[in-house]
């Protein structure tokens, strides 16, 4: 029995630089023919050559740097610090909490985009970038979490605008700041809190931090310090263990259950984490009158 497959060429209207008058075609090929062609040594070499050419055309300036620390932070999460003391220009280019960069492992094609967890001052004083990395099976992040002290990786330039806290300043005019994070999204939030944005000068700064359970919640050892800076930490567990008496479910639901004690015109918000959480929290805030430009994101 002969198997066939159908290949539908994409609609030209969805592709750049292609005439909208081009016609859409559907072509059928025998499956065996396709498999033979994909395995043909000339085509395989051509594919590898194209991939190599793409990598060679990468204009990103990559800076080699060695790992200083790799240690568990929580279940599936790792603290990773990278020594940038020999690259002062790179270290000093990190200026705003919420910025990120790419980390590449030599001989691994795909880099990882990682938000920097430490505040900019740590790069300046200690010469390191710190990260909170979720180890996902089969990803570059998993490989990175499996490396050790002294192993060399490559860093791209620092990217992104970070959290524009000028939008929620001065503190006396924005007395409420509501912060939302899920999973490893707490990484740039840590940078924000420890960079200082006048939390102690505001009357209501709340961090809703969601994780599956306490075993998957990083930075618990920093909660007291954050509280001392004026941030009320509200852990929210979606699958809590027996005996948990705090908030449960999803972050957006926990926030929706809270009484609206903030004045929308003097409220700002910061979000990082799961997409649905960010969308639903934004909808709640905007629906209650918080201006969208006062809701800060780092991407």
């Amino acid at each position: 029995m002969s198997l066939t497959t159908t290949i539908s060429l994409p609609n030209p209207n969805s592709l750049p630089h292609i005439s909208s008058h081009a016609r859409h075609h559907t072509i059928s090929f025998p499956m065996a023919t396709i498999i033979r062609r994909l395995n043909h040594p000339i085509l395989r070499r051509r594919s590898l050559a194209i991939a190599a050419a793409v990598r060679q055309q990468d204009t990103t300036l990559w800076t080699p740097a060695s790992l200083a620390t790799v240690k568990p932070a929580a279940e599936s999460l790792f603290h990773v610090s990278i020594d940038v003391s020999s690259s002062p220009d790179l270290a000093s280019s990190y200026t705003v909490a919420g910025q990120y960069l790419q980390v590449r492992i030599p001989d691994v094609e795909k880099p990882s985009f990682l938000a920097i967890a430490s505040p900019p001052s740590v790069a300046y004083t200690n010469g390191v970038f710190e990260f909170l990395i979720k180890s996902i099976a089969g990803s570059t992040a998993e490989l990175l979490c499996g490396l050790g002290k002294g192993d060399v990786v490559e860093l791209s330039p620092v990217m992104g605008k970070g959290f524009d806290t000028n939008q929620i300043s001065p503190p006396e005019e924005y007395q409420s700041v509501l912060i939302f994070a899920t999973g490893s999204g707490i990484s740039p939030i840590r940078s924000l809190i420890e960079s200082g944005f006048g939390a102690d000068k505001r009357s209501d700064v709340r961090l809703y931090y969601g994780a599956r359970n306490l075993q998957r919640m990083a930075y618990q050892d920093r909660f007291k310090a954050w509280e001392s800076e004026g941030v009320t930490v509200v852990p929210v567990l979606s699958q809590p263990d027996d005996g948990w008496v705090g908030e449960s479910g999803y972050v957006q639901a926990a926030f929706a259950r809270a009484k609206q004690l903030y004045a929308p015109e003097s409220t700002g918000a910061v979000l990082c984490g799961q997409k649905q959480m960010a969308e639903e929290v934004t909808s709640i805030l905007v629906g209650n009158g918080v201006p969208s430009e006062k809701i800060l994101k780092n991407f």
Side-chain angles (χ1 to χ4, degrees):
M1 179 175 66
S2 175
L3 297 177
T4 64
T5 189
T6 298
I7 298 177
S8 293
L9 300 179
N11 187 336
N13 294 327
S14 66
L15 298 175
H17 314 303
I18 294 181
S19 169
S20 61
H21 300 290
R23 297 175 58 192
H24 184 85
H25 298 282
T26 299
I27 307 173
S28 294
F29 294 104
M31 181 65 77
T33 300
I34 292 175
I35 293 173
R36 284 198 301 272
R37 289 181 178 179
L38 289 176
N39 289 327
H40 193 285
I42 293 177
L43 293 179
R44 286 179 60 83
R45 287 197 296 272
R46 184 176 297 170
S47 297
L48 292 173
I50 291 172
V54 169
R55 187 176 178 91
Q56 289 174 359
Q57 291 172 5
D58 181 5
T59 57
T60 303
L61 176 64
W62 294 98
T63 301
S66 60
L67 297 182
T69 306
V70 180
K71 62 182 181 180
E75 186 179 315
S76 300
L77 294 169
F78 288 80
H79 293 295
V80 175
S81 60
I82 300 178
D83 185 350
V84 292
S85 58
S86 60
S87 305
D89 289 344
L90 177 61
S92 63
S93 69
Y94 173 39
T95 58
V96 181
Q99 289 182 300
Y100 54 94
L101 46 68
Q102 296 179 78
V103 179
R104 188 172 71 176
I105 300 173
D107 301 322
V108 176
E109 185 69 28
K110 189 175 181 180
S112 252
F113 283 85
L114 299 173
I116 305 172
S118 48
S121 60
V122 171
Y124 179 77
T125 59
N126 299 341
V128 296
F129 287 156
E130 297 177 6
F131 302 89
L132 178 69
I133 303 178
K134 183 176 182 180
S135 178
I136 301 173
S139 69
T140 300
E142 180 187 38
L143 297 175
L144 183 60
C145 294
L147 298 178
K149 182 177 180 179
D151 287 334
V152 175
V153 296
E154 296 173 319
L155 306 180
S156 77
V158 173
M159 308 163 71
K161 60 183 176 56
F163 297 119
D164 184 8
T165 56
N166 290 326
Q167 293 292 324
I168 55 173
S169 295
E172 54 268 22
E173 293 183 15
Y174 295 92
Q175 281 293 294
S176 295
V177 175
L178 305 169
I179 308 173
F180 304 87
T182 56
S184 58
I186 194 65
S187 179
I189 298 300
R190 174 203 154 189
S191 177
L192 174 71
I193 294 172
E194 297 181 5
S195 293
F197 63 103
D200 58 339
K201 299 177 183 177
R202 306 175 196 259
S203 61
D204 179 23
V205 179
R206 276 176 274 162
L207 165 62
Y208 289 86
Y209 176 16
R212 180 178 298 177
N213 50 47
L214 285 176
Q215 290 71 40
R216 290 189 174 227
M217 182 167 279
Y219 297 146
Q220 293 180 54
D221 58 335
R222 294 179 177 269
F223 288 176
K224 287 185 178 180
W226 294 353
E227 295 263 6
S228 70
E229 293 294 324
V231 180
T232 299
V233 181
V234 183
V236 185
L237 306 182
S238 61
Q239 297 179 22
D241 298 329
D242 293 340
W244 173 249
V245 295
E247 290 286 348
S248 60
Y250 294 117
V251 162
Q252 56 270 39
F255 177 57
R257 288 193 297 267
K259 293 181 179 180
Q260 184 182 343
L261 300 176
Y262 55 92
E265 67 279 3
S266 60
T267 295
V270 185
L271 289 79
C272 191
Q274 202 261 351
K275 181 180 179 182
Q276 182 178 350
M277 177 277 290
E279 290 176 347
E280 293 185 14
V281 167
T282 298
S283 179
I284 294 170
L285 291 169
V286 171
N288 285 337
V290 177
S292 59
E293 65 271 17
K294 307 302 179 184
I295 301 173
L296 310 183
K297 301 172 185 178
N298 68 324
F299 285 95

